[in-house]
Amino acid sequence: MKPAEHNVERCGGASATPPSPRERPRVARRPGGRWLGAAMFLPAILYVVAIIGVPFLMAFLYAVGDVRVGSVGYHFVGLENFRSVLHSPAFRRSLFNSVIFTVGSQVLVIVGAFTLALALRDKFRGRGVVRFLVMLPWVAPVSLGAIGWKWILDSLYSVINWLLVAMHLFRQFDAPQWLGEPKLAMMSVILVHTWHVLPFSTVILLAGLTAIPRDIPEAAAVDGAGFWRTLVHITIPMMRPILNVALLFGIIFTFTDMTVVYILTRGGPYDSTQVVPSLAFFTGILGGDLAEGAAISLFLVPILVIVAYLMLRVAHRAEVT
Amino acid sequence: MAVVETRGLTKVFKEGQLGAVNNVDLVTREGEFLVFLGPSGSGKTTLLRMIAGLEQPTAGEILIGGNVVNHLSPRERRIAMVFQSYALYPHLSVYNNIAFPLKAQKIKKELHREKVEWASSLLGIGGLLDRKPRELSGGERQRVALARAIVREPTVFLLDEPLSNLDAKLRASAREDLEQFHKRIGTTTIYVTHDQVEAMAMGDRIVVLHQGFVRQIGTPKEVYDDPADTFVATFLGSPPMNLLESDDVVVGFRPEHFLPADRLREGSRIPLRFRVTYLEFLGAERILYGSLAGSRFEEKEVLSRLPAAVSEAFQVASVYDFGVASESLRFFDRQSEKRTQPKAIAWQ
């Protein structure tokens, strides 16, 4: 049967019909057409496989083996490493710290970013400059910023302490050890991490805020609502999906991040700021126990999967209802 | 109920630019339905937003119920506003949308249900209280917005083009509903529109605005029959008034007054020859496009609007004897474009 007749029969006589499914590949096929799509996909797939897939698989293999830096053989040990990790006080401590670190910084980030977004939404003189300054901590290399903070919080040369002493609030050798006392160290790490990720959440929330039609807060104002009522009953509920997105990203960025901890405290003092990723790094890479390091880092996976699932569900519900 | 007054109200958005609203003086009457009418960019919405307190005036005063309210926030002005987009709160049910102003004004909770039910039954949306705004049609949303506006019994109603998002059929019925609704509650209402049909049909009085200036304030009949200037004359009426320039005056007459000569009384008739170039049949009426012939206004384009009762046939490219009654003529100063006294002019 000729293609034309085929068309007529299938489409009830309409003359200008699109080609039937059987004919379509013939039209689409160009020189190399069959491979072009795959070729364009390839870099992305290679990238994901090489940078994420392979290490993930290796981590899994290491975690059920007895691999150390320099060891030549590989022996399957089952869940031995996981059992050992779960029994290690250092791991439990770091898991607890990770939760404190994440919750603490995310509370600050969401409150701070929302406040900044509200302030940056309205037009004022110099808004562009302020927006740029707010973005700086995010665009500047984290190591650069964290090293700056290391000096700001230094035990001897801290500018904060210099100020506190100059203001006669503390005596010269009695000033707070920002990175040397467990509670202060955790606080410092949380604050510096907050400083670093705040701009990202601010930008997300600012985008969400500007997406609310201007009429709506105006209607609320005419209806008699003040700033707080509009914020609590109108703006925040309308921002719920975007707040969830910001929180989801924030939690994942924070839970898996070790840069700030590594540069400021290296997990100290006495593991009081040790978080799961930094513990994995110190155990596996610096300590040479690749198997246990891999096992520690794999503990992040189920936790993050659950967080991501929950947040996506909440976001979806907010969208549907 | 209250009277809204503006004195020398001006809004300049950017320094050095022409004001969006310039030196507007107006006073509403108790319980009146006042319409701000003008083309887009005429400043009508800005004027309304200043009255609502959403925009700060550059100069001038706003009085509501005799008190200057310039420094008061929207909520302290006790006005209600319906936005062009309705601005319903998308995450709240219809019930909570309507109850929001009550909560915001800290009215006792026991009264909420009663008041919401009163407002929603007044607008016939009692059955929709559990829905979310996105589950409503355009007409229903508009009713919810109105219910939200009346629920706390405001002293003044501000409506910003509330019908412009409805389709033509719905618009006509919503217009009638709005009129009925205003009659029932009798609250002073300011209504912004660019649609002259809406303005004529609904307004007790019309404020015609152009480039931020008030061109005329009057009843629909006054602004239509006795336009204050050539802008009002051409903006109101569809098709617009015919204007002919003669020396230092502009003579105007409505297309419906430009009729076949035998339809006009002999004594007051000004005869004109009309060359028809195009015909439009609109059912209830016919619009004849063409130009004057054989006078000093040769080639001047004019329109005639004939009711269906005029049954004569007209041919394109033919010339007919038409005319206009002298009492239907309106005169404007050519320089200032303002209305002037009738004048004798040479027609031939």
Side-chain angles (χ1 to χ4, degrees):
Chain A
M1 191 188 286
K2 281 182 220 152
E5 288 165 1
H6 184 74
N7 255 353
V8 168
E9 191 183 275
R10 281 177 64 113
C11 303
S15 54
T17 49
S20 73
R22 262 177 59 190
E23 287 170 71
R24 207 168 285 154
R26 196 180 300 170
V27 181
R29 198 175 291 165
R30 293 186 190 89
R34 194 164 176 187
W35 297 105
L36 188 65
M40 294 185 89
F41 257 128
L42 202 61
I45 291 173
L46 272 180
Y47 176 82
V48 172
V49 167
I51 308 292
I52 298 165
V54 172
F56 187 75
L57 201 70
M58 299 270 283
F60 189 74
L61 286 176
Y62 284 0
V64 293
D66 62 349
V67 193
R68 294 173 168 279
V69 172
S71 66
V72 283
Y74 176 88
H75 299 284
F76 180 75
V77 297
L79 298 176
E80 179 56 34
N81 288 318
F82 291 99
R83 201 183 58 80
S84 137
V85 165
L86 277 174
H87 278 100
S88 133
F91 173 75
R92 281 189 243 166
R93 179 78 202 255
S94 66
L95 190 63
F96 176 73
N97 286 342
S98 273
V99 172
I100 298 286
F101 179 60
T102 307
V103 172
S105 60
Q106 280 315 296
V107 168
L108 291 178
V109 164
I110 292 296
V111 173
F114 203 90
T115 313
L116 271 176
L118 280 176
L120 293 175
R121 177 185 51 175
D122 297 326
K123 271 195 177 153
F124 57 87
R125 197 180 274 267
R127 181 173 72 165
V129 177
V130 176
R131 278 189 176 181
F132 172 73
L133 290 177
V134 166
M135 276 309 287
L136 265 188
W138 179 257
V139 295
V142 58
S143 54
L144 205 70
I147 286 169
W149 279 105
K150 196 171 168 63
W151 281 103
I152 292 171
L153 302 168
D154 189 82
S155 59
L156 272 180
Y157 306 109
S158 162
V159 258
I160 298 177
N161 285 357
W162 178 77
L163 261 176
L164 291 175
V165 170
M167 287 159 74
H168 300 288
L169 291 171
F170 284 94
R171 279 183 298 147
Q172 179 90 55
F173 298 105
D174 200 24
Q177 291 298 307
W178 299 108
L179 302 175
E181 290 164 38
K183 279 197 177 128
L184 281 182
M186 179 49 95
M187 221 182 71
S188 305
V189 168
I190 288 176
L191 279 177
V192 173
H193 184 76
T194 302
W195 169 85
H196 173 56
V197 297
L198 191 65
F200 181 74
S201 299
T202 308
V203 169
I204 293 186
L205 295 186
L206 192 58
L209 265 187
T210 40
I212 296 179
R214 205 174 61 144
D215 284 357
I216 299 228
E218 283 183 351
V222 172
D223 282 344
F227 173 80
W228 290 109
R229 182 176 293 274
T230 309
L231 185 69
V232 172
H233 292 282
I234 304 295
T235 314
I236 291 179
M238 286 185 75
M239 290 275 290
R240 270 253 316 265
I242 211 93
L243 275 168
N244 284 328
V245 170
L247 198 60
L248 169 70
F249 276 100
I251 288 177
I252 289 173
F253 282 154
T254 310
F255 213 80
T256 57
D257 188 82
M258 53 165 279
T259 359
V260 173
V261 166
Y262 181 74
I263 293 169
L264 284 187
T265 64
R266 308 222 159 203
Y270 331 113
D271 277 355
S272 60
T273 57
Q274 194 74 273
V275 288
V276 176
S278 64
L279 183 70
F281 179 77
F282 286 125
T283 311
I285 309 295
L286 299 186
D289 193 344
L290 287 175
E292 193 158 321
I296 292 170
S297 60
L298 281 181
F299 269 99
L300 291 170
V301 176
I303 296 172
L304 290 174
V305 166
I306 291 168
V307 170
Y309 173 73
L310 283 179
M311 300 301 285
L312 286 175
R313 226 178 59 160
V314 171
H316 180 69
R317 200 184 305 145
E319 218 171 276
V320 172
T321 52
Chain B
M1 249 178 269
V3 161
V4 177
E5 187 179 351
T6 68
R7 291 180 187 159
L9 201 61
T10 299
K11 176 73 187 181
V12 181
F13 279 108
K14 256 196 184 144
E15 241 173 281
Q17 272 185 0
L18 197 69
V21 171
N22 302 295
N23 205 19
V24 170
D25 296 299
L26 55 90
V27 189
T28 69
R29 293 175 189 153
E30 193 78 44
E32 177 181 43
F33 199 106
L34 185 70
V35 177
F36 291 172
L37 175 68
S40 44
S42 61
K44 54 196 190 301
T45 294
T46 308
L47 186 54
L48 191 79
R49 287 170 59 84
M50 283 196 282
I51 294 169
L54 295 170
E55 210 82 65
Q56 270 304 312
T58 313
E61 282 182 335
I62 303 157
L63 294 89
I64 297 178
N67 304 310
V68 177
V69 296
N70 281 38
H71 57 285
L72 295 183
S73 67
R75 70 163 159 174
E76 292 164 316
R77 298 187 185 195
R78 311 214 144 265
I79 40 106
M81 182 159 168
V82 174
F83 289 77
Q84 187 171 5
S85 64
Y86 310 140
L88 298 179
Y89 310 124
H91 59 290
L92 297 179
S93 65
V94 168
Y95 178 90
N96 283 321
N97 260 284
I98 300 173
F100 186 80
L102 301 174
K103 289 178 191 161
Q105 306 212 318
K106 303 202 173 67
I107 287 166
K108 267 192 248 153
K109 208 159 187 181
E110 304 88 78
L111 297 173
H112 287 188
R113 180 151 287 278
E114 188 192 321
K115 280 179 177 284
V116 170
E117 273 164 9
W118 165 75
S120 55
S121 67
L122 199 61
L123 286 148
I125 48 167
L128 306 175
L129 293 179
D130 296 327
R131 303 252 193 108
K132 287 278 173 71
R134 79 168 158 277
E135 297 162 343
L136 304 176
S137 69
E140 288 166 343
R141 282 179 206 182
Q142 188 231 358
R143 283 152 184 267
V144 174
L146 276 170
R148 186 175 71 182
I150 59 161
V151 72
R152 65 207 149 97
E153 298 164 58
T155 54
V156 178
F157 254 133
L158 307 178
L159 307 176
D160 185 6
E161 309 215 18
L163 304 184
S164 61
N165 286 338
L166 303 179
D167 61 57
K169 205 174 166 189
L170 202 53
R171 201 178 305 173
S173 71
R175 194 171 78 202
E176 202 193 319
D177 289 350
L178 259 179
E179 278 175 274
Q180 292 298 324
F181 169 73
H182 176 253
K183 280 210 181 83
R184 243 176 301 163
I185 59 163
T187 307
T188 308
T189 302
I190 300 179
Y191 185 101
V192 163
T193 183
H194 62 264
D195 182 337
Q196 49 165 311
V197 179
E198 265 174 41
M200 300 287 283
M202 302 170 81
D204 290 327
R205 285 190 304 155
I206 297 174
V207 178
V208 184
L209 287 153
H210 182 50
Q211 295 178 341
F213 291 96
V214 171
R215 292 306 186 97
Q216 189 170 5
I217 303 179
T219 62
K221 190 168 164 50
E222 282 165 3
V223 290
Y224 189 80
D225 286 346
D226 292 302
D229 59 24
T230 52
F231 171 77
V232 180
T234 49
F235 185 67
L236 275 145
S238 173
M241 188 179 259
N242 295 309
L243 294 178
L244 302 172
E245 292 176 354
S246 163
D247 304 326
D248 58 341
V249 290
V250 177
V251 187
F253 50 91
R254 293 267 173 213
E256 61 267 33
H257 296 144
F258 184 51
L259 297 169
D262 53 10
R263 299 252 154 198
L264 297 159
R265 270 192 305 114
E266 191 92 27
S268 66
R269 185 176 68 197
I270 291 157
L272 292 164
R273 302 269 295 158
F274 182 38
R275 182 182 293 112
V276 178
T277 55
Y278 184 66
L279 272 161
E280 255 177 20
F281 177 71
L282 300 176
E285 60 187 27
R286 274 181 297 175
I287 312 284
L288 272 52
Y289 296 78
S291 56
L292 295 178
S295 70
R296 61 181 287 239
F297 298 108
E298 177 87 43
E299 296 298 312
K300 285 281 180 197
E301 288 186 6
V302 286
L303 301 173
S304 168
R305 181 179 181 181
L306 301 176
V310 178
S311 55
E312 286 106 305
F314 294 97
Q315 299 293 326
V316 168
S318 301
V319 178
Y320 297 93
D321 276 321
F322 267 56
V324 57
S326 57
E327 65 267 21
S328 301
L329 296 177
R330 299 290 176 266
F331 295 83
F332 305 92
D333 185 85
R334 196 169 167 181
Q335 211 82 71
S336 68
E337 302 187 338
K338 296 258 183 274
R339 191 67 187 278
T340 58
Q341 291 301 312
K343 245 180 174 176
I345 61 162
W347 287 94
Q348 297 310 320

